[in-house]
Amino acid sequence: MADDGDFREWQAKAACRGPQAAAFYPPASGERRDEKRLREREAKEICAHCAVAGRCLEMALASREAYGIWGGTNESERRVLIEA
């Protein structure tokens, strides 16, 4: 896995930075299934236009990130990739 400096370098270029970052994790109060689908779709749309989405996904898979949208994938999608 890349070192911390490399992580900070590509993270600074991530499209998810800023107020839209809320779409990448569920709210603390919980959410209904339809709300989750909508939130994840919004986050994945941001990832689809992100210059560093591939690096983000690599990091999430290497660290087995258990929560949120990373590199255009949700938790269950990453589990499938890890198990493959």
Side-chain angles (χ1 to χ4, degrees):
M1 190 164 96
D3 65 25
D4 286 344
D6 185 49
F7 173 74
R8 284 189 297 274
E9 182 179 318
W10 67 257
Q11 189 183 40
K13 300 173 186 172
C16 60
R17 295 178 57 88
Q20 66 274 16
F24 289 80
Y25 290 95
S29 61
E31 63 190 340
R32 296 187 323 253
R33 201 171 298 162
D34 60 327
E35 292 170 330
K36 180 180 180 177
R37 279 193 299 268
L38 178 60
R39 178 185 54 76
E40 287 187 350
R41 190 174 357 171
E42 290 171 1
K44 289 178 178 186
E45 181 64 25
I46 293 167
C47 291
H49 301 284
C50 181
V52 296
R55 303 282 303 277
C56 180
L57 179 57
E58 287 175 20
M59 190 281 310
L61 293 173
S63 64
R64 296 184 177 256
E65 183 62 51
Y67 302 101
I69 302 296
W70 290 82
T73 62
N74 64 24
E75 299 91 343
S76 59
E77 292 164 339
R78 287 192 303 279
R79 273 194 299 273
V80 169
L81 293 172
I82 290 169
E83 293 171 3

